[in-house]
C-alpha cells in the first residue's frame, strides 16, 4: 500500500541512479520515504504476506490465497500495458 501526503515531494531520479525499469523506458517515482514502480512477480512474496494475513485484511471481504495474489499481479501487469502506466 502507498500513502501519499501533501508534504510528499516527488522527484524523478533518472540522472543519478538507473534501474532495470528505467533502462526499459519505465519511470520510477522516488522520494525519501516512498518508491513507486510497476509491480511484478518478484513482488509475490511480499504481497502474499500482506494479502493472506487475516489481521491485515480484516476489513476486506476475504484474504488472498497464492493463486489470487498471482492473478492480481498479472492483472496489474496487463493494465500497465493497456493503460501505458508509468511510462516515460
Amino acid at each position: 500500500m502507498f500513502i501519499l501526503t501533501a508534504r510528499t515531494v516527488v522527484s524523478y531520479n533518472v540522472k543519478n541512479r538507473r534501474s532495470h525499469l528505467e533502462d526499459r523506458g519505465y519511470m520510477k517515482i522516488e522520494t525519501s520515504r516512498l518508491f513507486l514502480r510497476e509491480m511484478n512477480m518478484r513482488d509475490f512474496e511480499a504481497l502474499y504476506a500482506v494479502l493472506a494475513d487475516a489481521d491485515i485484511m480484516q476489513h476486506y471481504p476475504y484474504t488472498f490465497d497464492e493463486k489470487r495474489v498471482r492473478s492480481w499481479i498479472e492483472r496489474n501487469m496487463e493494465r500497465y500495458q493497456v493503460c501505458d502506466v508509468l511510462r516515460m
Side-chain angles (χ1 to χ4, degrees), residues 15-63:
K15 292 181 182 176
N16 300 329
R17 288 183 277 164
R18 295 186 60 82
S19 71
H20 69 283
L21 295 175
E22 291 169 330
D23 291 337
R24 292 185 3 229
Y26 296 93
M27 178 174 50
K28 71 178 183 181
I29 300 172
E30 186 175 355
T31 71
S32 61
R33 297 176 52 193
L34 176 72
F35 180 77
L36 295 177
R37 62 162 174 76
E38 289 187 4
M39 183 183 319
N40 60 60
M41 280 300 173
R42 289 183 301 236
D43 298 315
F44 172 80
E45 293 295 328
L47 285 171
Y48 180 72
V50 172
L51 298 174
D53 186 298
D55 289 334
I56 293 172
M57 300 297 285
Q58 66 181 327
H59 300 293
Y60 200 76
Y62 52 84
T63 58

Side-chain angles (χ1 to χ4, degrees), residues 1-15:
M1 288 185 196
F2 302 106
I3 300 173
L4 295 174
T5 66
R7 296 173 64 191
T8 303
V9 177
V10 176
S11 66
Y12 297 91
N13 193 7
V14 175
K15 292 181 182 176

